[in-house]
Amino acid sequence: MTTNATTTETEIALLGGTGEIGRALALRLGRDSDYALTIGSRDERKASEAAEDYRSRLRDRGVEPHLGAAENVDAAADADVVVLSIPPYYADETVETIAPGLDDETILVSPAVGMQRDEDGLHYHPPSAGSVIEMIADVAPDDVPVVGAFTNLSGERLADLDVEIETDTLLLGDDEDAKETVATIADSIRGLRPLDVGPLTNATEVEALTPLLINLARYNDDMENVCVTFH
Amino acid sequence: MTTNATTTETEIALLGGTGEIGRALALRLGRDSDYALTIGSRDERKASEAAEDYRSRLRDRGVEPHLGAAENVDAAADADVVVLSIPPYYADETVETIAPGLDDETILVSPAVGMQRDEDGLHYHPPSAGSVIEMIADVAPDDVPVVGAFTNLSGERLADLDVEIETDTLLLGDDEDAKETVATIADSIRGLRPLDVGPLTNATEVEALTPLLINLARYNDDMENVCVTFH
C-alpha cells in the first residue's frame, strides 16, 4: 500500500456520493490526492456501501484512501468543502437541510446542470435564478461561498480509472479564495485542468455546455462520454 | 504558384467577407481548398479591396486562390453555399435582401451568435426564435436549407495563417445533404474537424459556447482567442 503525494488538512464531503459524478470524484481524488473524503447520502447505509466499494477498488490499485461515509447532513457539517454531486432538483432542498451545520469556513461546490430532453436532444433548462449554481447561492447561508466546478465532466468516463483523462473543468465563483481552494482540489486529479471563467453570473454558458456534450455523443458514434479541452 | 489539391465545382459566397470570420474563412479556404470563393459586402468596393488583400496574402504563400468579389446580393445569387459572416443583428435583413436570388440548390450557413456584455463578461442573448440560426431559418425561403457552422471559431486566430489550428466546429441543420456539403467544406480547412450536433433546435447550446470562450480568454491570461476540442 502507498499513500498519496498530496498532503492536506482539507476535508471534502461528496454529498450524493453514491451517484455517477460523486463516484468519479471519490475514485479520482482517492487515487490521486490525499484529501480526506466522506461519501454522503440521504441514506447512511448506502453511503457506507459505496465507500466500501470505492475503498476496495482503490486498494486493488495499491492505494489506501482516506474515505469515510456519513448521512449527508453529518458529512457536510464535518467538511471544509461540500460537493453537491446531486441532481439539480434536489439541490435547494439539500442545501437547506445542511445549512445549519455550515459556517463561513465551508465551501459549497456544485457540478449540477438543469436539462430537459426533447426528441432532438438535451437542452439547457436553467432555473429562474438563471443557473443552478446561482440558485444554490440564493439558498445557501450568506457567509458560505459557492463555487461551480466539475460541471461538464463525464462521470462515467472519470469513474473508469483505467482511462487516462486530459480535460478541463471550468470554475465559477464570487469568492476568489474559495475558488482557489477548489482549483487546488481539481488540479490534484491527474489530467484535469481547472480554468477560471469568472463570477457566478457567468454560469449559464458553462452549464449549457453539458447538454451540448451529450448531444455530441448522440450524433457521433465515436464520441461517448465527451470531454472538452480549451486551448 | 501552386493550385490546391481539393477540386470542386462548389462556389462559396462569404457575405460580410470583409469582417473577422469572413477574412479567416477566405484565407483558410483560399489556402487549403480549391473552392471558388466570392467576398461579399454591402459595398462592392470594400469587397474588392478585401479580396485583393486576401489574394495578395495568399500569393505571398505561393497560392493562387479562386477569389472574387461582389456586392452581397450578387455574390449570393451566384453561389451554391452562402456563408452569412455578418453580425447577428444584420442577419435577418441580409437574408431578406438576398432571398430573391436564392433557390433550393443554395445552402445558407451562419456562424452568428447573439451576445450581450455586462461587467462580468459576455452572455448569450438569443433572439426570440431561440437561436440566431433558427431566426435565419425562419426568414429564409422555405426550400433553402440552413446550416449552422464555424460558430465558435476565433476569426482572429484563424486569420493568422502562421497559426496551425487543431480545433472542432459544430454543425447544425435539418437537411442532412446540406449539412454534409458544409462538413466537406469545413473539413477542407487543415486542422478543422466538423462534428454533427443534430438539427437546428439544438443550436442554443452551440451558440452559448461563443461567449463562454470569450469569458475564458478574459479570466485566463494565456488563453487569447480560445479554440475548443471535443474528445
Side-chain angles (χ1 to χ4, degrees):
Chain A
M1 295 286 167
T2 58
T3 52
N4 292 297
T6 320
T7 37
T8 170
E9 300 297 308
T10 308
E11 297 194 12
I12 303 173
L14 300 167
L15 306 199
T18 60
E20 204 168 71
I21 188 69
R23 178 174 62 229
L25 292 174
L27 291 171
R28 294 269 164 181
L29 288 169
R31 186 192 65 181
D32 299 341
S33 82
D34 203 37
Y35 288 107
L37 307 170
T38 305
I39 305 304
S41 169
R42 285 177 296 177
D43 179 342
E44 193 184 342
R45 193 179 49 82
K46 279 195 183 168
S48 294
E49 284 170 7
E52 185 49 44
D53 172 44
Y54 306 158
R55 273 194 299 267
S56 149
R57 295 206 222 178
L58 288 164
R59 283 180 187 138
D60 288 347
R61 291 168 180 268
V63 176
E64 182 60 41
H66 305 255
L67 213 161
E71 198 272 329
N72 275 340
V73 176
D74 299 327
D78 290 341
D80 303 296
V81 175
V82 176
V83 181
L84 300 159
S85 37
I86 52 181
Y89 38 91
Y90 289 136
D92 51 358
E93 186 193 317
T94 304
V95 173
E96 280 166 3
T97 310
I98 64 172
L102 305 178
D103 58 44
D104 61 3
E105 302 288 304
T106 320
I107 299 167
L108 277 181
V109 177
S110 171
V113 169
M115 293 187 286
Q116 205 164 256
R117 187 181 296 276
D118 70 13
E119 58 183 5
D120 295 325
L122 276 167
H123 300 283
Y124 182 47
H125 183 65
S128 58
S131 62
V132 174
I133 194 77
E134 286 168 292
M135 179 189 78
I136 289 169
D138 286 349
V139 181
D142 285 344
D143 55 354
V144 172
V146 173
V147 175
F150 312 118
T151 310
N152 312 120
L153 300 177
S154 164
E156 198 173 329
R157 193 192 292 202
L158 265 69
D160 180 353
L161 292 177
D162 288 332
V163 174
E164 291 280 328
I165 58 165
E166 193 71 54
T167 188
D168 296 332
T169 187
L170 302 171
L171 300 190
L172 295 152
D174 300 339
D175 182 314
E176 295 304 322
D177 290 340
K179 200 155 51 172
E180 188 55 42
T181 298
V182 178
T184 304
I185 294 169
D187 202 38
S188 76
I189 294 178
R190 273 206 305 272
L192 187 64
R193 178 176 64 156
L195 289 173
D196 185 11
V197 68
L200 297 182
T201 50
N202 289 349
T204 301
E205 290 76 16
V206 175
E207 295 184 7
L209 182 55
T210 295
L212 172 60
L213 299 179
I214 298 171
N215 292 341
L216 266 174
R218 168 169 168 176
Y219 288 96
N220 296 273
D221 289 339
D222 54 343
M223 298 203 82
E224 223 173 333
N225 304 315
V226 185
C227 283
V228 62
T229 305
F230 302 96
H231 53 94
Chain B
M1 295 288 166
T2 57
T3 51
N4 292 296
T6 319
T7 36
T8 169
E9 301 296 311
T10 308
E11 297 193 12
I12 304 174
L14 300 167
L15 306 199
T18 61
E20 204 168 70
I21 187 71
R23 179 174 63 231
L25 292 175
L27 291 171
R28 294 271 164 181
L29 288 170
R31 187 191 64 181
D32 299 342
S33 82
D34 202 38
Y35 288 107
L37 306 170
T38 304
I39 305 304
S41 170
R42 286 176 296 177
D43 179 343
E44 192 184 345
R45 193 179 50 82
K46 278 196 185 168
S48 294
E49 284 170 8
E52 185 47 45
D53 172 44
Y54 305 159
R55 272 194 300 267
S56 148
R57 294 206 222 179
L58 288 164
R59 282 179 188 140
D60 287 348
R61 293 171 178 266
V63 176
E64 181 60 42
H66 306 255
L67 213 159
E71 197 274 326
N72 275 339
V73 175
D74 299 327
D78 289 342
D80 304 297
V81 176
V82 177
V83 182
L84 301 159
S85 38
I86 51 182
Y89 39 91
Y90 290 136
D92 51 358
E93 186 193 316
T94 304
V95 173
E96 280 165 3
T97 309
I98 64 172
L102 305 177
D103 58 42
D104 62 1
E105 301 289 305
T106 320
I107 300 167
L108 277 182
V109 178
S110 171
V113 169
M115 293 187 287
Q116 205 165 255
R117 186 181 297 277
D118 70 13
E119 57 183 7
D120 295 325
L122 276 166
H123 299 283
Y124 182 48
H125 183 64
S128 57
S131 61
V132 175
I133 193 77
E134 286 168 293
M135 180 189 77
I136 289 169
D138 285 348
V139 181
D142 284 346
D143 54 354
V144 173
V146 173
V147 175
F150 312 118
T151 311
N152 312 120
L153 300 178
S154 164
E156 198 174 329
R157 193 192 292 203
L158 266 67
D160 181 353
L161 291 178
D162 287 332
V163 174
E164 290 279 329
I165 58 165
E166 193 71 56
T167 187
D168 296 332
T169 188
L170 302 171
L171 300 189
L172 294 152
D174 300 340
D175 182 314
E176 294 303 322
D177 291 339
K179 198 155 53 173
E180 188 56 41
T181 298
V182 178
T184 304
I185 294 169
D187 202 38
S188 76
I189 295 177
R190 274 206 304 272
L192 187 64
R193 179 177 63 156
L195 289 173
D196 185 11
V197 67
L200 297 182
T201 50
N202 288 348
T204 302
E205 290 76 16
V206 175
E207 296 185 9
L209 182 55
T210 296
L212 173 60
L213 298 180
I214 298 171
N215 292 340
L216 265 174
R218 169 169 168 175
Y219 289 95
N220 297 274
D221 289 338
D222 54 343
M223 298 203 83
E224 225 172 331
N225 303 316
V226 184
C227 284
V228 63
T229 305
F230 302 95
H231 52 94

